[in-house]
Amino acid sequence: MRNKSHESAKVKVCFGFLDKTGRSFSSVVKELHPELLLPVCMFYLILRGLDTIEDDTSIPLETKEPLLRDFKNYLEQDGWTFTGNRPEEKDRQLLVQFDNVIAEFKNMKPVYQAIIKDVTDKMGNGMADFARKAAFGDAAVNTVEEYDLYCWHVAGVVGEGLTRLFVEAGLGEATLINHFHLYKSMGLLLQKNNIIRDVREDHDDGRRFWPKEIWSKHVDNFEDLFEPENLELALTCSSEMVLNALGHVNNCLSYLVGLREQSVFNFCAIPQSMAMATLDLCFRNPNLFKRNIKITKGDAFQLMVESSQDLGKVCEVFCRYVHRIQQKNNPKDPSFLKISTACEQIQRFAEALAPQSIEFANSKTKKKPFVAGEGRVQHQADVNEEIWSTAGQVFVILVVISILVVGAAWLMEARFDLA
C-alpha cells in the first residue's frame, strides 16, 4: 500500500501521472504489496509512454519506428523526454516529463529493471512491426492469427512482465512463468474485451481491429456493420467476437490459482471480472454499433468489492455473466451452439474450482430458489447462513475499500487496458 510520507518528489510526480493515465488501474496499483507498488507503477508508465507514441497518427513512420524499437534504451538515458506528440494527444505530458519516470526506474532493483526493459523491447518491436504494416497500406487486421498476435504485442507481453515480477517478488507460484498460455490469456482477454467494446469509437477514428476473417462472414464491407439495416448481421458478428474472447476465460481462472498474495490477486482479478461484465454488456447489444458503451459505475464498484475476496467469489462473478450471455444467446445466431458450449465449459471449469459458490451464483442468475445438490449443502437453512456470512464479508470489505478508494465512482470513465 502506498505511503506518501516516504516518497520523493519524483515518485509523487510518477503517481500523479498514474492517476491521470491509469484511471481505474491506478486505484488497484496503489493497493499492491509494497515490494511491487513502485515497480508496477513504473512498468505501467513506461508502457503507457510507449503506447502514446504508437497511438499518435501524426508521427511519421520514419520517426515512429525507431522511437518504438529503441524505447528500451531511453530508459537508461538520464533526462530523456519526448515532445513530438501532437498537442491533443491525451497522455502527451507523460512523455514531456518522462525524465521523472527514468529516474525512478533506475532506482529500482536491477532484476525488476531487466524484466521491464525486456518487455518494453518486445512490445516496442511488435508495435513497430504493425506500424510499418499500416504505413504501407495494410492497416487492417485480416486473420484471427494476426488479431491474436496484435493483442499479444500490446497486452499479452504485459501479462508476461507482470508474471515475472510477481514470481521474482515471491508473490506468485514459480511455475506460473512456465505457463505461457495462462499469462497470455490474461492479457488477451482484457485487450479483446476493449477491442470489442470500442468498435464504434475505433471506426470513427479510422481504426479497425476486428479481424476480417470474422466480420467478412457477416458483411461485405466492415463499414456495413454500422448501417441500421444490417443490425442483425452486426449482432451475429459481435457474438462471434465475444465467442473468440470467451476462449481465454478458463486460462484466466487457472492463472488466478497461482497467486499467493491478496493484493496481487485483487490486482489481477478485478480487471478480469470487469472484462467479463463488459463482454456481457456487449453481447447482442445494438448500442455497440452506435456509441461507446461501458458498465455502470455502480457495477464497477460492486465488482471491485466482489473480486477482492477469493477465487470462489471470482468464479461466482464469472459464472454470473456467463449465464447472462447464455440467456441472451439467439438460436438463430450461426454461433449459437459454439457460444452455448463455451459457456457450459466455463461453468464446469469454475464449478470444479469453487462448486458451492457457483451453484449459488447460478440460482441467483436464474432467479430461482437455491436448492443444493446431493453432496453439497442439504438444507435451505444452511444456505441462508451462507448468504448472511457472505453479506457480512462483503459489508466489511465494502467499508475498507470505501475508505481506501475515495472517488472510485468515476473509475470506469476510461479504459483499463494498456493499449
Side-chain angles (χ1 to χ4, degrees):
M1 188 180 300
R2 186 182 177 193
N3 186 342
K4 294 183 181 181
S5 63
H6 295 161
E7 293 175 356
S8 68
K10 289 185 182 296
V11 169
K12 286 183 170 66
V13 170
C14 290
F15 276 111
F17 278 118
L18 178 68
D19 290 335
K20 293 174 184 176
T21 63
R23 290 167 281 267
S24 62
F25 190 72
S26 172
S27 59
V28 198
V29 171
K30 288 186 286 190
E31 297 303 314
L32 274 171
H33 188 282
E35 176 67 18
L36 284 179
L37 177 58
L38 197 58
V40 172
C41 176
M42 293 302 106
F43 188 34
Y44 178 82
L45 292 178
I46 288 166
L47 298 187
R48 174 58 73 183
L50 185 67
D51 185 62
T52 300
I53 293 173
E54 192 265 345
D55 270 352
D56 192 340
T57 56
S58 72
I59 302 176
L61 180 67
E62 57 268 24
T63 302
K64 178 180 290 189
E65 184 175 5
L67 277 171
L68 294 173
R69 296 196 191 279
D70 295 338
F71 200 81
K72 65 182 184 299
N73 298 323
Y74 302 141
L75 302 179
E76 302 292 342
Q77 296 183 19
D78 291 334
W80 184 85
T81 60
F82 180 69
T83 58
N85 285 109
R86 56 189 172 187
E88 62 269 26
E89 196 65 35
K90 60 185 177 66
D91 295 326
R92 181 182 187 277
Q93 196 61 30
L94 169 63
L95 288 170
V96 171
Q97 296 181 250
F98 205 71
D99 54 317
N100 293 285
V101 177
I102 292 173
E104 290 309 316
F105 169 78
K106 295 177 75 172
N107 285 335
M108 293 192 310
K109 292 180 180 179
V111 66
Y112 294 155
Q113 292 183 42
I115 291 170
I116 293 172
K117 192 173 180 181
D118 181 50
V119 172
T120 302
D121 183 34
K122 291 178 180 178
M123 180 180 281
N125 279 296
M127 287 177 167
D129 291 343
F130 275 91
R132 169 166 283 276
K133 179 172 175 285
F136 286 95
D138 190 9
V141 177
N142 293 310
T143 67
V144 172
E145 183 179 3
E146 284 183 10
Y147 179 48
D148 282 356
L149 182 61
Y150 173 77
C151 291
W152 164 253
H153 283 312
V154 300
V157 292
V158 181
E160 176 192 339
L162 289 170
T163 301
R164 290 165 65 183
L165 290 173
F166 298 157
V167 171
E168 186 62 40
L171 302 177
E173 294 294 336
T175 55
L176 272 179
I177 200 62
N178 300 322
H179 294 286
F180 169 78
H181 62 293
L182 299 186
Y183 60 73
K184 176 184 177 181
S185 286
M186 290 288 286
L188 264 62
L189 180 60
L190 295 182
Q191 187 64 21
K192 289 182 176 183
N193 162 79
N194 291 320
I195 286 173
I196 294 168
R197 181 197 64 195
D198 295 341
V199 63
R200 178 79 230 192
E201 180 182 334
D202 288 334
H203 173 62
D204 291 343
D205 290 342
R207 297 178 294 182
R208 182 187 306 173
F209 298 107
W210 287 25
K212 184 176 181 180
E213 184 178 335
I214 290 180
W215 62 256
S216 63
K217 298 177 188 178
H218 307 275
V219 291
D220 294 329
N221 301 294
F222 185 73
E223 295 76 12
D224 296 341
L225 291 173
F226 305 93
E227 298 297 332
E229 62 268 25
N230 295 325
L231 178 58
E232 189 55 39
L233 295 173
L235 292 176
T236 59
C237 181
S238 66
S239 69
E240 188 171 354
M241 290 293 292
V242 170
L243 171 64
N244 176 275
L246 289 175
H248 300 290
V249 172
N250 287 349
N251 282 343
C252 292
L253 289 173
S254 295
Y255 183 92
L256 295 176
V257 174
L259 301 177
R260 295 177 176 176
E261 198 269 336
Q262 186 66 47
S263 71
V264 171
F265 178 87
N266 298 350
F267 174 84
C268 294
I270 289 171
Q272 300 295 342
S273 293
M274 290 185 178
M276 292 300 296
T278 303
L279 287 179
D280 165 52
L281 176 65
C282 293
F283 187 71
R284 298 198 64 82
N285 186 344
N287 289 325
L288 182 68
F289 300 96
K290 300 175 182 177
R291 54 181 172 80
N292 186 256
I293 60 176
K294 53 192 170 187
I295 62 176
T296 67
K297 296 172 185 176
D299 284 344
F301 187 70
Q302 179 185 353
L303 286 166
M304 284 190 69
V305 174
E306 292 179 310
S307 303
S308 300
Q309 297 183 45
D310 54 32
L311 183 62
K313 193 64 179 178
V314 172
C315 286
E316 180 181 323
V317 169
F318 274 45
C319 282
R320 180 168 74 231
Y321 291 110
V322 164
H323 272 282
R324 291 180 182 178
I325 290 173
Q326 282 181 307
Q327 290 170 351
K328 292 183 286 186
N329 197 13
N330 188 342
K332 295 181 180 180
D333 192 314
S335 300
F336 174 77
L337 290 178
K338 290 182 179 180
I339 292 169
S340 295
T341 300
C343 290
E344 289 168 4
Q345 289 175 343
I346 293 168
Q347 179 183 348
R348 286 197 299 269
F349 188 78
E351 284 177 340
L353 293 177
Q356 185 170 316
S357 293
I358 303 312
E359 189 166 353
F360 183 40
N362 292 352
S363 71
K364 290 194 293 184
T365 303
K366 296 174 182 176
K367 298 183 179 179
K368 297 191 300 184
F370 175 64
V371 180
E374 184 177 354
R376 297 181 185 171
V377 183
Q378 297 300 312
H379 303 288
Q380 188 65 40
D382 292 331
V383 177
N384 292 338
E385 182 179 349
E386 177 70 19
I387 295 171
W388 284 109
S389 174
T390 302
Q393 294 171 18
V394 171
F395 177 76
V396 172
I397 293 171
L398 180 62
V399 171
V400 173
I401 292 181
S402 296
I403 295 171
L404 296 176
V405 192
V406 177
W410 50 259
L411 79 98
M412 284 307 289
E413 289 296 334
R415 300 166 73 129
F416 48 83
D417 64 323
L418 283 173

